[in-house]
Amino acid sequence: MRRSLVDVELTGKRATVRRVTFMGLLVLAVVGAVALLGERHRTDYSEWHSTFGETSGVPLLVSAAMLGLLGLAVRASSVITGVVAGMVTTIGAIVNLGALVIVHLINHTEHNAAGGIAAGVMLGLAPLGLIAMIIELVVRVQERKKLEASDPEFPAARVVRD
């Protein structure tokens, strides 16, 4: 009988790969959140201001959700936590990138360096969240195969009639 991926605990290299993956995403998300906090831009008709004021703080809430779930994924080794953290990271990065780009899409906009860093980080986080979900599932399947290969095989019972 096959084990559920939820019941598989990672060991050795697979646990390290998973932890490094989510730790890297967490560090990148922290850099993106700090850059979002420092982001400022201006247009031909407005002075320097941030995206937070124009979007009612949505990027801050999205970044907080990403950071919280990635931190949880680093600490808790559940497959569900890893998949949800990767999914929220991908969706959150797309939402934050959209907030940075779409706010003044049709206007000539000048951004500070933090805005460029934030956009670059969010552009990288979107596919990396998907990759983290795939890594989460692949290392679980590999660990399950390793565990099942070491399971003892019991002889099947046979009914003998005279």
Side-chain angles (χ1 to χ4, degrees), residues 17-154:
V17 165
R18 182 195 184 278
R19 188 171 184 84
V20 167
T21 299
F22 284 104
M23 185 65 78
L25 274 179
L26 180 61
V27 168
L28 197 57
V30 166
V31 170
V34 170
L36 275 171
L37 287 173
E39 182 273 335
R40 299 285 181 269
H41 62 274
R42 70 177 174 183
T43 62
D44 294 335
Y45 61 87
S46 68
E47 293 299 317
W48 288 98
H49 59 283
S50 72
T51 302
F52 290 123
E54 296 174 326
T55 60
S56 301
V58 169
L60 181 61
L61 296 173
V62 171
S63 291
M66 288 168 40
L67 291 172
L69 282 168
L70 287 170
L72 186 62
V74 168
R75 292 186 48 95
S77 65
S78 164
V79 67
I80 294 170
T81 306
V83 170
V84 170
M87 183 172 42
V88 168
T89 299
T90 296
I91 294 169
I94 292 168
V95 168
N96 280 349
L97 184 61
L100 288 169
V101 173
I102 294 174
V103 170
H104 295 295
L105 186 62
I106 59 173
N107 300 317
H108 175 264
T109 308
E110 183 181 350
H111 293 273
N112 65 355
I117 292 170
V121 168
M122 294 304 151
L123 191 60
L125 275 176
L128 290 175
L130 289 174
I131 292 169
M133 286 191 298
I134 292 168
I135 288 172
E136 175 74 40
L137 296 173
V138 166
V139 295
R140 297 279 173 178
V141 168
Q142 289 176 343
E143 188 76 23
R144 179 173 66 185
K145 284 181 183 178
K146 180 184 120 184
L147 290 171
E148 288 175 351
S150 65
D151 283 345
E153 289 191 31
F154 297 103

